[in-house]
Amino acid sequence: MNDALAFRNLYDASSPRLFGLALRILRRRELAEEALQESFVSIWHHARDYQEGLAAPMTWMSTIVRNKSFDVLRRHRQEVDNGADEFDDAVMATLRDPAANPAEALELSSEAKALAACMAALEEAHRHAVGLAYFHDLSHSDVARQLALPLGTVKTWIRRSLARLHSCLTGRRAP
């Protein structure tokens, strides 16, 4: 119980500065919060590994936050690179709803129609994995659990599918 209290005191004393570091790297509050949470979990689990002679405590924790921030950035970079932010909320909501009526389907933008056509060209299992990850905002781990597949398989399917979608949407031949 004393360890939990000490950890709480450490968090209270250091989190504002560490959050600022994460925010400077990630530039999005929700991503900085994610990185900070992952960092403190790592700090909690590796506190016994800290070596006073190698770095000051704040330097050690800052290094963890920096590394976790770059991990979060890498995880979320695909979301930024795939161009999904170009579609407005109404288009995304319609794409998520397979029961959209014909009037709603007519309102889809040409970009959304192109995305739907490119998605249809993917293998069904790959399309399902991409849909879970991007239209339902599931992590790769969550998609792997839901599909009962190895994480590496899901990551490969999604990476290759995104490359195919990008090629399809830009008019280039898919790899």
Side-chain angles (χ1 to χ4, degrees):
M1 194 61 122
N2 284 342
D3 286 345
L5 180 60
F7 185 74
R8 181 66 190 175
N9 290 336
L10 175 66
Y11 179 86
D12 290 342
S14 62
S15 64
R17 181 173 172 199
L18 295 174
F19 178 74
L21 172 62
L23 191 57
R24 277 193 302 278
I25 294 169
L26 295 164
R27 298 176 192 240
R28 287 180 42 200
R29 183 174 191 81
E30 67 276 9
L31 296 181
E33 289 169 353
E34 180 181 337
L36 187 67
Q37 178 181 355
E38 290 179 16
S39 297
F40 272 99
V41 168
S42 184
I43 290 166
W44 175 261
H45 289 291
H46 298 286
R48 288 186 175 92
D49 299 336
Y50 169 71
Q51 296 178 9
E52 187 177 341
L54 294 179
M58 195 60 167
T59 303
W60 179 71
M61 291 187 301
S62 295
T63 301
I64 291 171
V65 170
R66 179 185 173 278
N67 293 339
K68 292 293 181 186
S69 295
F70 285 121
D71 290 345
V72 167
L73 188 62
R74 278 189 290 276
R75 275 198 313 264
H76 289 276
R77 184 165 283 147
Q78 271 189 328
E79 293 173 17
V80 172
D81 289 346
N82 78 0
D85 56 336
E86 295 173 13
F87 299 103
D88 61 28
D89 292 337
V91 171
M92 294 306 290
T94 305
L95 284 173
R96 282 187 212 112
D97 182 10
N101 67 40
E104 292 169 332
L106 285 174
E107 292 176 8
L108 286 176
S109 68
S110 61
E111 292 89 359
K113 288 178 184 175
L115 176 60
C118 292
M119 286 286 289
L122 296 175
E123 292 179 35
E124 183 179 347
H126 297 187
R127 182 173 54 248
H128 189 63
V130 170
L132 289 171
Y134 290 92
F135 299 133
H136 295 281
D137 200 27
L138 296 180
S139 69
H140 290 156
S141 298
D142 292 336
V143 172
R145 273 191 296 279
Q146 187 156 343
L147 298 178
L149 292 168
L151 179 59
T153 299
V154 168
K155 286 182 175 183
T156 299
W157 284 6
I158 291 173
R159 181 177 36 81
R160 288 180 181 165
S161 295
L162 289 176
R164 287 185 181 110
L165 288 172
H166 183 265
S167 295
C168 179
L169 290 169
T170 59
R172 294 183 299 198
R173 185 170 166 79

